[in-house]
Amino acid sequence: PQTPAAETRPRPMSSAYGDITLISGNAHVELSKAISENLDQPLASARVARFTDGEVDIKLDEDIRGRDVFVLQPTCPPVNENWVELLLLLDTLRRASAGRITAVMPYYGYARKDRKDEGRVPISAKVVANTLVACGADRLVTLDMHAAQIQGFYDIPVDHLYARPVLLDEVEAMGLDNPVVVTPDVGGTKMARAYAKRLNADLAIVDKRRISGSETMIEHVIGEVEGRNCVIVDDMISTGGSITQAAAILKAKGAKAIVIAVSHAVFCGPAVDRLDAAPVDAILVTDSIPQGEKRPKKLKVCSIAPLVAQTIRSIHTSESVSSLFE
Ligand code: R5P
């Protein structure tokens, strides 16, 4: 048989570092397995358990000397458990002489505490950065961080991914007529604009004021929503307060269908009950955070595993990651 021309031959995965090794913490084993399947690369054998007193107990069963290691661990709830487990995994890998260590953290816990907005409070997102680097991370991969400028807390490369292409595939499949993309607060305008651009849709802004850490109040809507199919986009649903209030005001202003498309489904406190009671037709989220038994009835989970797997491949072979979003 003839050898195909060089440009049509599949390129072998090669890297300046060693072969890929994938290691999963306990935060989201299902996602780790899906990433591993997408890469056709097994998860390394390791014990990531707890001592009787609750301390993290880790032991790698494989030699990873010189390898290009990716640690798969979103710091979702229970955030402190998952964070410490990640730190000790990084330390384990560094002491085992990994060639390069990349923390793959599709959900970045503590990202909302990214500045000192009042006296006598921590900048928790910076503490996360300090500890990851101090424990051995050479690179970070994360997705839709609450504030993109958190990248500046790091002096190592950060690949900041977007869930947008994954969620938009699903929104487009719904075939919504003449949609308008809505952000539930002014801070999300840039994100909403990126969604609107691909959908060729208009933009609307819900003017949300934060009364306290857990309470918000909606004043009014900027943009045309009457008789329109609305796609509300946001980085996360936590207690569900912001997004369900936004849905209610859109409905009150005459919106037709309301679809929610959100990157991170934290779903804490009253979130599921609020979403079930809200006037929404579909709730699209990614699997950056594992979901429990109690889920909103209209929930559809879209997997980021192929996107994360492709990112790992690109990092390993030193190819562009930003081109995945063009
Ligand atoms: C706020 O700035 C974020 O983008 C989310 O809208 C917010 O964190 C969601 O929180 P909750 O679901 O508790 O309203």
Side-chain angles (χ1 to χ4, degrees):
Q2 277 196 336
T3 311
E7 63 275 13
T8 62
R9 282 201 299 266
R11 294 172 66 181
M13 283 221 272
S14 67
S15 167
Y17 300 88
D19 292 343
I20 286 186
T21 294
L22 301 176
I23 294 196
S24 177
N26 288 305
H28 198 343
V29 176
E30 205 184 319
L31 177 64
S32 300
K33 284 184 181 159
I35 293 169
S36 137
E37 274 163 29
N38 268 274
L39 282 166
D40 200 14
Q41 176 81 34
L43 295 170
S45 171
R47 180 178 74 233
V48 188
R50 295 291 181 276
F51 290 109
T52 316
D53 61 1
E55 290 179 358
V56 179
D57 171 25
I58 295 176
K59 166 78 180 149
L60 293 185
D61 300 326
E62 298 176 12
D63 176 22
I64 51 98
R65 192 172 287 269
R67 297 187 64 119
D68 196 8
V69 185
F70 294 82
V71 192
L72 312 175
Q73 178 88 332
T75 48
C76 51
V79 56
N80 298 337
E81 282 291 315
N82 291 332
W83 179 14
V84 171
E85 201 178 272
L86 173 59
L87 297 180
L88 295 178
L89 276 166
L90 294 171
D91 185 69
T92 307
L93 295 165
R94 184 179 49 180
R95 290 174 196 280
S97 306
R100 177 172 66 173
I101 306 169
T102 303
V104 182
M105 220 166 77
Y107 176 73
Y108 191 116
Y110 284 113
R112 276 177 294 182
K113 275 303 207 189
D114 63 350
R115 65 193 178 283
K116 199 171 161 192
D117 51 2
E118 58 179 317
R120 303 185 296 280
V121 296
I123 304 182
S124 313
K126 172 64 175 155
V127 179
V128 172
N130 289 349
T131 54
L132 291 188
V133 174
C135 289
D138 297 308
R139 306 183 62 99
L140 173 70
V141 174
T142 189
L143 176 116
D144 282 329
M145 265 192 290
H146 180 63
Q149 58 270 26
I150 291 172
Q151 289 171 71
F153 291 168
Y154 290 84
D155 288 322
I156 57 170
V158 176
D159 287 298
H160 186 202
L161 314 181
Y162 305 100
R164 195 171 62 233
V166 176
L167 294 170
L168 274 173
D169 282 349
E170 198 59 41
V171 172
E172 281 180 336
M174 290 176 156
L176 297 173
D177 178 41
N178 195 18
V180 52
V181 175
V182 184
T183 172
D185 74 82
V186 182
T189 308
K190 189 161 179 248
M191 181 186 218
R193 198 176 294 128
Y195 275 80
K197 194 170 166 205
R198 183 167 135 189
L199 286 175
N200 202 13
D202 292 335
L203 192 65
I205 299 168
V206 172
D207 185 20
K208 174 181 94 173
R209 304 275 152 91
R210 195 161 275 287
I211 302 168
S212 69
S214 57
E215 252 190 297
T216 57
M217 193 178 82
I218 286 176
E219 306 251 308
H220 45 259
V221 177
I222 305 159
E224 280 303 315
V225 296
E226 192 176 349
R228 307 282 298 275
N229 292 311
C230 295
V231 183
I232 313 178
V233 301
D234 206 351
D235 62 326
M236 69 166 84
I237 297 177
S238 183
T239 64
S242 314
I243 215 134
T244 55
Q245 281 181 52
I249 193 162
L250 293 176
K251 209 35 144 188
K253 295 213 174 268
K256 217 151 78 175
I258 299 180
V259 172
I260 286 174
V262 165
S263 314
H264 306 295
V266 183
F267 291 171
C268 56
V272 173
D273 293 332
R274 282 175 171 171
L275 288 163
D276 277 341
V280 299
D281 298 274
I283 302 162
L284 311 176
V285 300
T286 78
D287 55 354
S288 65
I289 295 177
Q291 292 307 309
E293 292 285 295
K294 190 176 174 195
R295 305 167 175 211
K297 294 191 185 66
K298 292 176 183 159
L299 188 73
K300 165 125 203 203
V301 182
C302 311
S303 185
I304 53 168
L307 175 68
V308 176
Q310 182 52 50
T311 302
I312 289 174
R313 212 176 274 125
S314 298
I315 291 170
H316 181 64
T317 55
S318 296
E319 283 172 87
S320 166
V321 169
S322 60
S323 63
L324 302 176
F325 303 96
E326 281 159 9

